[in-house]
Amino acid sequence: TLNVIYILVEVFYGLKINSMALLADAGHNFSDVLGLLLAWGAAYLAKTATTEKRTYGFRKSTILAALFNAILLMIAVGAITIEAVRKFISPEPVQGQIMMIVAGIGVVINALTAILFMKGRERDLNIKGAFLHMAADAGVSLGVVLAGFIIYSTGWLWVDPAISLVIVLVITIGTWGLLRDSFHLSIDAVPDGINLKEVGSYLKSINGVIEVHDLHIWAMSTTETALTAHLVIPGETKDDYFLKKICGELHTRFGIEHSTIQIEKSAQS
């Protein structure tokens, strides 16, 4: 709600004083509001019950939300860049003092919103996406404050688009990691923080195991990881406790919540 109100304020004053930086920031804030709604909706969907058609429910929606968040940020970056280049070619008068005041309010609002997501950003890529959105917004608003101060002090109109391009670079660098990570998770790549070789080595070290194959690790959501593996254990029958112990170790050592282990007498079976 705070961000929606602030967007309206930025658009009003951006048009009134002809500030590309304020309008670009408003556009970026709007993409972030959409991003917050995506993160919120995905978090809700991830908790919905499974069905016969969707045996994992909507857990994957948190990954898709993180991916869409990154894409929205990149689209906003493109829009800001185009408008900044246009302003370089055709500079227009801007009231630096009003820019500073309006953007200063944005720094406070976006920083407070980002703080709300700090706690969960390390363990949930979806929350990380929301945090990056708001932190980037705070940085953008701070850049606009700086641009307003310089324009007010010197009258250099080129500072308005120049600051916008600097902000574009900062946002792009911060967003690239989110885009890469969410894309990898969306195609069922091994999540960051889990080493496939180390997991395989642990499984091979289990007493009686002579071979491990069909080992797969993927993200069910931004907070839950699954694993399937075939363990070749000839000449021995293992009970449920054996499997339960392996699953417990995989969770303790690697943070893998859902493990499915198949025992085989030989690799050909």
Side-chain angles (χ1 to χ4, degrees):
T1 301
L2 283 173
N3 279 273
V4 169
I5 293 171
Y6 180 60
I7 288 169
L8 296 176
V9 172
E10 274 196 310
V11 170
F12 175 78
Y13 281 102
L15 292 172
K16 184 176 181 179
I17 68 172
N18 198 30
S19 171
M20 187 281 295
L22 280 180
L23 290 174
D25 192 24
H28 182 228
N29 273 312
F30 180 68
S31 74
D32 287 351
V33 169
L34 292 178
L36 289 175
L37 291 174
L38 279 172
W40 186 17
Y44 172 77
L45 288 174
K47 297 175 183 178
T48 56
T50 60
T51 67
E52 292 182 1
K53 198 74 173 177
R54 294 181 294 272
T55 56
Y56 281 135
F58 283 101
R59 286 184 176 92
K60 207 81 166 183
S61 62
T62 55
I63 296 173
L64 294 177
L67 180 60
F68 290 151
N69 261 334
I71 292 172
L72 281 172
L73 272 170
M74 297 307 287
I75 291 172
V77 159
I80 294 171
T81 302
I82 292 171
E83 188 62 18
V85 171
R86 189 186 71 80
K87 278 290 185 105
F88 265 123
I89 297 172
S90 304
E92 298 173 359
V94 178
Q95 297 180 36
Q97 192 171 14
I98 295 178
M99 276 181 65
M100 291 169 58
I101 295 171
V102 175
I105 296 171
V107 173
V108 175
I109 290 176
N110 291 314
L112 288 175
T113 311
I115 288 171
L116 296 176
F117 294 100
M118 282 189 69
K119 187 176 181 181
R121 75 187 192 282
E122 297 300 330
R123 62 178 185 272
D124 189 337
L125 193 65
N126 188 38
I127 294 178
K128 181 181 179 181
F131 170 79
L132 285 176
H133 266 290
M134 305 324 300
D137 274 352
V140 169
S141 296
L142 187 60
V144 178
V145 171
L146 179 61
F149 175 76
I150 295 174
I151 293 171
Y152 177 72
S153 302
T154 65
W156 295 343
L157 298 179
W158 58 266
V159 172
D160 188 34
I163 289 292
S164 299
L165 291 177
V166 172
I167 292 166
V168 160
L169 180 62
V170 172
I171 295 173
T172 301
I173 293 172
T175 302
W176 181 251
L178 177 66
L179 182 63
R180 181 195 62 231
D181 293 345
S182 57
F183 174 75
H184 284 169
L185 293 186
S186 70
I187 59 172
D188 291 336
V190 178
D192 280 349
I194 298 179
N195 188 306
L196 184 70
K197 290 184 179 179
E198 290 181 3
V199 175
S201 296
Y202 159 69
L203 293 174
K204 289 177 184 176
S205 71
I206 297 171
N207 186 36
V209 175
I210 64 169
E211 184 182 336
V212 177
H213 64 93
D214 289 319
L215 172 59
H216 301 284
I217 303 173
W218 71 97
M220 296 169 59
S221 70
T222 51
T223 58
E224 297 174 284
T225 304
L227 170 149
T228 59
H230 293 208
L231 308 184
V232 180
I233 308 177
E236 221 177 319
T237 300
K238 298 296 184 180
D239 56 16
D240 290 345
Y241 175 75
F242 175 78
L243 294 173
K244 188 175 181 180
K245 184 178 179 182
I246 293 176
C247 292
E249 283 293 316
L250 288 170
H251 183 268
T252 301
R253 296 189 183 197
F254 307 104
I256 299 172
E257 292 86 359
H258 301 272
S259 298
T260 304
I261 307 296
Q262 179 170 316
I263 305 297
E264 300 175 350
K265 296 296 184 182
S266 67
Q268 290 75 35
S269 64

